[in-house]
Amino acid sequence: VLYNMSTPLMQQKKYEESLVLLDSSISISKERGYRHNLGVAYQNKAQVLLDLNRPAEAEKYILEGIQLSKDYNEGNLLTAFYNTAYQYYEMTGDYKKALSFFIMSTALKDSLVNQEIVKVAEVEKKYEQEMKEKAITLLNKEKEFEEYRSKTIRTVGTILVVALVIVIFVLYQRYRLKQRSNQELESMNALIGQKNKDITDSINYAS
């Protein structure tokens, strides 16, 4: 937190005040084992000392910061230290080393950018794969639903057809039974009528 508080002071060129905060941050980070915070505080302090034209004091923090960044694989922080080292060696007149650190800073920065591009591409690929799998799963579910729906419709249709056939058969049987009953009733009525006629004729003949 203290190294973050020092940044506005550095921007306002209140270097001595920022050094006080950075020294406190370095002390606390060492005590608590905050390696990343320690590296950032080293880098900021080295930059402040260069801005104050005190390169000899800055060298210690630059070299320790570079080693710390390498030990704990802090790529972005190492890039910042390489850039600060470039400024340091340029300021001290060692242009060969200045050029070397400038090249390393640029190369590492490009490498980190490429790594980020690869990570983004991997995330995008993974996202597309997940979306593809979800789409396939959804299509399969829709297909299963359609198959179930079609099967249900066929089953219900079959039941309705069978039920209709049964109803028609029952109605037809009732119709035939009724017709037969009517025919039998007509035959009985005709027979009764004939007997009544015979009886009437017999009575008339006897008279």
Side-chain angles (χ1 to χ4, degrees):
V1 177
L2 292 174
Y3 67 77
N4 286 332
M5 293 172 62
S6 70
T7 303
L9 294 174
M10 292 169 61
Q11 293 172 346
Q12 297 168 24
K13 298 186 178 181
K14 295 179 180 181
Y15 298 124
E16 296 299 335
E17 293 179 40
S18 67
L19 284 175
V20 173
L21 291 176
L22 289 168
D23 285 337
S24 297
S25 177
I26 289 170
S27 177
I28 293 171
S29 297
K30 284 182 177 179
E31 180 182 337
R32 299 183 181 180
Y34 297 158
R35 293 186 293 269
H36 176 77
N37 293 3
L38 180 61
V40 174
Y42 275 172
Q43 202 278 325
N44 285 351
K45 185 167 184 179
Q47 189 63 57
V48 170
L49 291 170
L50 290 179
D51 291 339
L52 288 170
N53 200 25
R54 290 155 57 180
E57 297 176 56
E59 182 182 17
K60 169 189 174 183
Y61 298 102
I62 293 171
L63 296 178
E64 289 186 13
I66 288 174
Q67 191 58 51
L68 183 69
S69 300
K70 287 181 178 179
D71 289 343
Y72 297 104
N73 196 28
E74 292 274 1
N76 290 320
L77 192 57
L78 183 59
T79 303
F81 273 114
Y82 280 165
N83 186 60
T84 305
Y86 152 69
Q87 296 177 53
Y88 165 76
Y89 286 112
E90 186 179 45
M91 186 178 290
T92 56
D94 191 339
Y95 298 112
K96 184 177 180 180
K97 282 190 176 181
L99 178 60
S100 176
F101 275 102
F102 176 78
I103 292 172
M104 286 192 293
S105 173
T106 304
L108 183 56
K109 184 178 179 181
D110 290 343
S111 174
L112 292 173
V113 169
N114 289 335
Q115 288 177 20
E116 288 300 316
I117 291 173
V118 170
K119 286 181 181 178
V120 170
E122 288 176 351
V123 171
E124 288 180 348
K125 185 177 179 181
K126 185 177 180 181
Y127 173 77
E128 289 175 358
Q129 183 64 28
E130 287 180 355
M131 291 298 102
K132 185 178 180 180
E133 289 175 359
K134 286 181 179 179
I136 291 172
T137 301
L138 182 60
L139 287 173
N140 288 336
K141 286 183 177 179
E142 289 180 351
K143 184 179 179 182
E144 289 175 3
F145 175 76
E146 281 300 319
E147 289 176 354
Y148 173 77
R149 181 172 172 270
S150 299
K151 184 177 180 181
T152 302
I153 291 174
R154 286 196 301 270
T155 302
V156 172
T158 301
I159 292 172
L160 289 175
V161 170
V162 171
L164 182 61
V165 169
I166 292 172
V167 169
I168 292 173
F169 176 76
V170 171
L171 291 176
Y172 177 71
Q173 288 297 106
R174 286 185 178 181
Y175 170 76
R176 287 190 64 188
L177 181 62
K178 186 177 180 181
Q179 272 193 328
R180 191 179 301 128
S181 297
N182 289 337
Q183 287 175 357
E184 290 177 355
L185 183 61
E186 288 176 0
S187 297
M188 289 179 65
N189 288 335
L191 182 60
I192 292 170
Q194 184 62 41
K195 286 185 177 182
N196 288 336
K197 183 181 178 185
D198 291 344
I199 292 170
T200 301
D201 290 343
S202 296
I203 292 170
N204 290 333
Y205 179 76
S207 302

